[in-house]
Every structure is written in structure tokens, then in C-alpha cells.
Amino acid sequence: KISNNYLEQIMLSLKKAGFVESISGARGGYILIKRPAEIKIFNIVKVLEGSISPVPCIDHKKMCKQEAHCSTKSLWMKVKKSIKDVLTSITLKDLTEEKSRKSSDVVK
């Protein structure tokens, strides 16, 4: 349930990043360049969302003058690592298989 305009923006970003290529013509559209099993969700999220840091100061070190004394910096770095680990462990194939499983559960 994504609008066509928003979907087009997403596809253009994925094309620019080398995940898909476009096909022109009446029956055109987009196709994946790699197999779904080779595409980590982390890489897609990185292209579409940018940083996965829970707080901006993790990516922009000079943003905070208290960085050297910050009591929560290590916590936020662990959160970022955990997010990356989860997103890196899942492929596009995994997501499509999960969707299929859930769809078949609804039919039963």
C-alpha cells in the first residue's frame, strides 16, 4: 500500500545503488540485479534510510563536546552494532519467504 510516486523514489534509489535495473517499454519495470539471497537487508536500509545510529553523535563525533566523558556513548554504539547485526543476518530472500509463510498461515 505504497503510493506510486513514493515507490518510484524508492526504486530510483535502489537503481542508483545497483540493486535493480529498469526495463523500458510497455511491459517494463524493474528487476533485481542480484539474487534475493545475496541482498542483505542492512544494505537496502542503508540506501533508503541512511545511518542506523540511534543517536546522531555516534556518526558525527565532533557534534558533542561531552563525547570524551559521555556515559551513554558505549550503550548507543552497542545498540547500533546490534541493529546492524540483525539487518545483516537477514536477506531479501528471507523476507519474501517469511511473507509467504504468513500468507499461507492466513489461508489455513
Side-chain angles (χ1 to χ4, degrees):
K1 297 184 181 182
I2 299 174
S3 75
N4 286 339
N5 288 339
Y6 184 53
L7 186 57
E8 185 66 25
Q9 290 174 15
I10 290 170
M11 296 310 290
L12 288 174
S13 294
L14 293 174
K15 181 181 176 186
K16 184 177 177 183
F19 288 104
V20 298
E21 64 183 32
S22 58
I23 309 261
S24 300
R27 301 186 62 81
Y30 292 91
I31 60 170
L32 289 173
I33 293 176
K34 296 180 181 179
R35 294 184 335 217
E38 298 172 347
I39 301 173
K40 304 287 186 181
I41 296 303
F42 171 76
N43 295 324
I44 294 172
V45 170
K46 191 173 174 185
V47 166
L48 298 178
E49 301 296 330
S51 174
I52 59 165
S53 292
V55 292
C57 59
I58 297 299
D59 292 332
H60 307 286
K61 309 252 186 270
K62 296 182 181 185
M63 175 181 226
C64 179
K65 295 181 189 325
Q66 301 299 319
E67 180 192 2
H69 310 289
C70 182
S71 60
T72 61
K73 180 180 176 185
S74 64
L75 166 71
W76 296 126
M77 290 180 73
K78 288 176 186 175
V79 170
K80 179 181 179 179
K81 182 185 180 317
S82 294
I83 292 169
K84 183 177 181 181
D85 289 348
V86 169
L87 294 176
T88 302
S89 72
I90 302 168
T91 66
L92 189 57
K93 180 181 178 187
D94 297 331
L95 279 186
T96 57
E97 288 174 350
E98 179 71 18
K99 169 83 168 120
S100 293
R101 278 193 298 276
K102 288 186 178 206
S103 294
S104 67
D105 288 346
V106 171
V107 173
K108 291 179 183 178

